[in-house]
Amino acid sequence: MPCSDYDPASLPDLLPLYYRRLFPFSQYYRWLSYGGVQKNYFQNREFSFTLKDDIYVRYQSFSTQSELEKEMQKMNPYKIDIGAIYSHRPNQHNTVKSGTFQALEKELVFDIDMTDYDDVRSCCSAADICLRCWTLMTIAIRILDRALRDDFGFQHLLWVYSGRRGVHCWVCDEAARKLSSAARSAVAEYLSLVKGGEETVKKVVLTDPIHPFIKESLAVVEKYFPQYALKDQDILGRKESVDKVLALVPEDILFTGYKIPESRWEHFLLSQGTTKKGQHFEKEIMLQYCYPRLDVNVSKGVNHLLKSPFSVHPKTGRISVPIDLKELETFDPFAVPTISLICEELDRPKPGEEQSEDTNKNEDEKDAAEKRKVRDYKRTSLAKYIKHFDQFLDTMARSWKGELLKKSEFSYCGCM
């Protein structure tokens, strides 16, 4: 729809409406307060705001949901970042004795950015993406989600589209939030296979025995590799692409006589039967071209800030929305609503809406305002993403209640 096209110049006009009527403050507060089990958990959380003209404001903190709402509606940030839970309130960090202001906890987070794959995608580069290379994000989510759940035992993983060219993962389990920097680094290193910078040609090297985690990851990659790498990226089609692949294998492997990429790959796989034990060239190629590329520095620092869910990307206008893994295969980053679209959707009247407004006149004003806000986002394309966020929070709440029940039963037994 042409009327929904996003114009960055319109952002200052759209943000006040978004924060006043559409931002899911209630769910947001519910998430970051984690059931209020731990005192001052929300109050000691750092937020940072990027304002118009790239003015960056750190160490923001809020006592209540209402206080957060008022400040965000006053400042209308272009971008919101979430940081750690500190030993003291971040907005008072200048009044605390030097050395005592410490980052204590934060979700274990992962940041996967499409620009880190520029050496293995031919369709796009830099900040540009398309549906062909978006498959890399699908593969990354599949591999990391399985590993974090099965290998580490985490349960509460929130996957979020960044709004432009990547995805973020927030591991919200209590055990994950309490991890030290060393432990976070260990998890990130365990999950990292692609090593080396631009100068490194061969970025994946496998040795025997192949770790079960790598075998599980390969099973995911093998599902997508023929369509993504051989067809969409045509890695064995153009000479330049073929030369890149040949640089990863011994010199005696050639593709002469085979013109179709799939035939070249089959020939290559057959030739693997003659390689020495401990050589896994075809697996290394698949992993180098498809395995998730993590920014380890984002994951290992407790005090590292990460872009918040439901923040707006200033360049694309797209909302940073949670991803429902049940619909991962059909997730389309270009179908994610822009702030201009959802604000436009607010102006579309619904049948019977005027009558509904009349019946609400006698309601308590605050209650009516809250109901109106709920009704507002449900009128827009943002509704299904907030619904998924609600479901995530409900699952996490059941887990908290279960843990509290166990603790109370334990305490009761201890008193007997």
Side-chain angles (χ1 to χ4, degrees):
M1 286 178 291
C3 53
S4 300
D5 286 347
Y6 171 69
D7 176 8
S10 67
L11 196 58
D13 298 322
L14 297 172
L15 283 171
L17 184 62
Y18 176 63
Y19 289 125
R20 192 173 74 251
R21 296 180 61 185
L22 293 167
F23 190 91
F25 284 108
S26 176
Q27 292 91 337
Y28 195 71
Y29 177 78
R30 186 184 173 204
W31 171 39
L32 294 174
S33 57
Y34 287 95
V37 174
Q38 199 168 320
K39 191 182 176 185
N40 294 330
Y41 208 75
F42 181 81
Q43 291 86 341
N44 288 7
R45 168 81 72 166
E46 180 191 3
F47 296 87
S48 80
F49 298 152
T50 304
L51 310 179
K52 191 179 177 183
D53 301 324
D54 285 331
I55 297 169
Y56 188 51
V57 186
R58 272 199 74 174
Y59 300 116
Q60 302 293 292
S61 60
F62 309 96
S63 298
T64 62
Q65 176 188 328
S66 175
E67 197 176 300
L68 171 72
E69 277 190 55
K70 285 176 183 173
E71 194 64 17
M72 282 174 63
Q73 288 166 358
K74 174 184 158 190
M75 300 182 82
N76 296 308
Y78 276 46
K79 180 173 173 248
I80 309 158
D81 287 291
I82 300 174
I85 291 96
Y86 281 84
S87 52
H88 303 77
R89 295 195 180 189
N91 61 1
Q92 297 172 0
H93 73 283
N94 285 328
T95 66
V96 176
K97 186 180 176 183
S98 179
T100 60
F101 182 66
Q102 300 288 331
L104 303 178
E105 293 186 19
K106 194 191 70 178
E107 296 79 4
L108 174 62
V109 295
F110 297 93
D111 180 9
I112 303 140
D113 194 309
M114 194 72 85
T115 55
D116 293 326
Y117 294 85
D118 277 0
D119 62 315
V120 292
R121 59 179 184 143
S122 57
C123 53
C124 306
S125 63
D128 293 332
I129 63 166
C130 68
L131 289 178
R132 283 186 294 168
C133 57
W134 186 258
T135 303
L136 290 166
M137 295 295 114
T138 303
I139 295 170
I141 292 172
R142 289 286 182 220
I143 288 174
L144 297 176
D145 191 78
R146 187 218 62 79
L148 289 164
R149 291 179 191 277
D150 296 350
D151 299 0
F152 291 96
F154 297 129
Q155 298 176 44
H156 306 297
L157 277 63
L158 182 66
W159 286 96
V160 181
Y161 169 51
S162 71
R164 191 178 192 186
R165 58 174 186 257
V167 294
H168 302 151
C169 178
W170 298 76
V171 186
C172 300
D173 300 59
E174 183 180 4
R177 287 181 272 130
K178 291 182 180 300
L179 289 175
S180 65
S181 290
R184 290 166 196 264
S185 296
V187 174
E189 286 299 329
Y190 175 90
L191 297 170
S192 299
L193 286 184
V194 182
K195 305 285 179 75
E198 289 181 17
E199 304 301 315
T200 308
V201 175
K202 192 178 177 74
K203 292 183 169 70
V204 177
V205 178
L206 300 179
T207 56
D208 282 332
I210 293 179
H211 194 282
F213 160 66
I214 299 176
K215 288 181 180 178
E216 292 280 1
S217 301
L218 276 163
V220 175
V221 170
E222 284 166 359
K223 178 184 170 186
Y224 295 93
F225 187 81
Q227 179 64 45
Y228 165 73
L230 300 180
K231 291 182 180 177
D232 293 345
Q233 299 299 324
D234 198 23
I235 68 167
L236 294 179
R238 294 177 297 110
K239 184 180 183 302
E240 181 188 355
S241 301
V242 173
D243 288 343
K244 273 189 174 183
V245 175
L246 288 174
L248 304 175
V249 299
E251 292 180 1
D252 59 342
I253 294 178
L254 300 169
F255 294 124
T256 51
Y258 298 90
K259 292 185 178 179
I260 301 170
E262 289 84 350
S263 300
R264 288 177 167 178
W265 184 249
E266 284 174 24
H267 163 69
F268 177 65
L269 292 178
L270 288 171
S271 72
Q272 287 297 282
T274 62
T275 58
K276 296 175 185 176
K277 187 181 178 183
Q279 293 181 328
H280 305 282
F281 301 124
E282 84 286 4
K283 294 179 177 66
E284 290 166 347
I285 289 169
M286 286 192 285
L287 291 170
Q288 178 148 336
Y289 275 81
C290 298
Y291 188 82
R293 302 186 172 200
L294 302 175
D295 185 340
V296 176
N297 290 323
V298 171
S299 302
K300 70 183 185 183
V302 179
N303 61 348
H304 201 290
L305 294 121
L306 186 65
K307 184 181 182 180
S308 168
F310 298 102
S311 188
V312 181
H313 196 292
K315 288 193 169 67
T316 65
R318 298 198 189 280
I319 312 298
S320 186
V321 293
I323 299 171
D324 185 350
L325 265 56
K326 294 189 192 78
E327 299 176 6
L328 179 60
E329 301 302 324
T330 55
F331 180 83
D332 179 355
F334 299 105
V336 169
T338 60
I339 187 172
S340 49
L341 172 64
I342 58 176
C343 288
E344 176 201 318
E345 288 171 337
L346 273 179
D347 292 333
R348 297 176 191 166
K350 278 196 168 185
E353 197 165 61
E354 288 181 13
Q355 182 182 349
S356 174
E357 287 292 339
D358 291 337
T359 60
N360 282 340
K361 279 182 180 177
N362 296 326
E363 288 182 15
D364 173 79
E365 192 176 326
K366 186 178 178 183
D367 187 46
E370 190 61 36
K371 284 185 179 180
R372 188 163 57 249
K373 189 181 293 183
V374 170
R375 189 167 64 245
D376 280 345
Y377 83 71
K378 285 187 175 179
R379 292 168 54 183
T380 74
S381 306
L382 201 58
K384 74 170 188 176
Y385 301 103
I386 295 179
K387 182 181 178 182
H388 172 60
F389 192 40
D390 267 324
Q391 290 167 346
F392 170 79
L393 295 173
D394 288 344
T395 302
M396 203 157 56
R398 285 193 293 270
S399 175
W400 300 330
K401 286 170 186 172
E403 287 299 314
L404 286 171
L405 190 61
K406 280 182 191 174
K407 287 178 183 175
S408 64
E409 285 174 354
F410 180 78
S411 300
Y412 176 75
C413 292
C415 294
M416 296 295 284

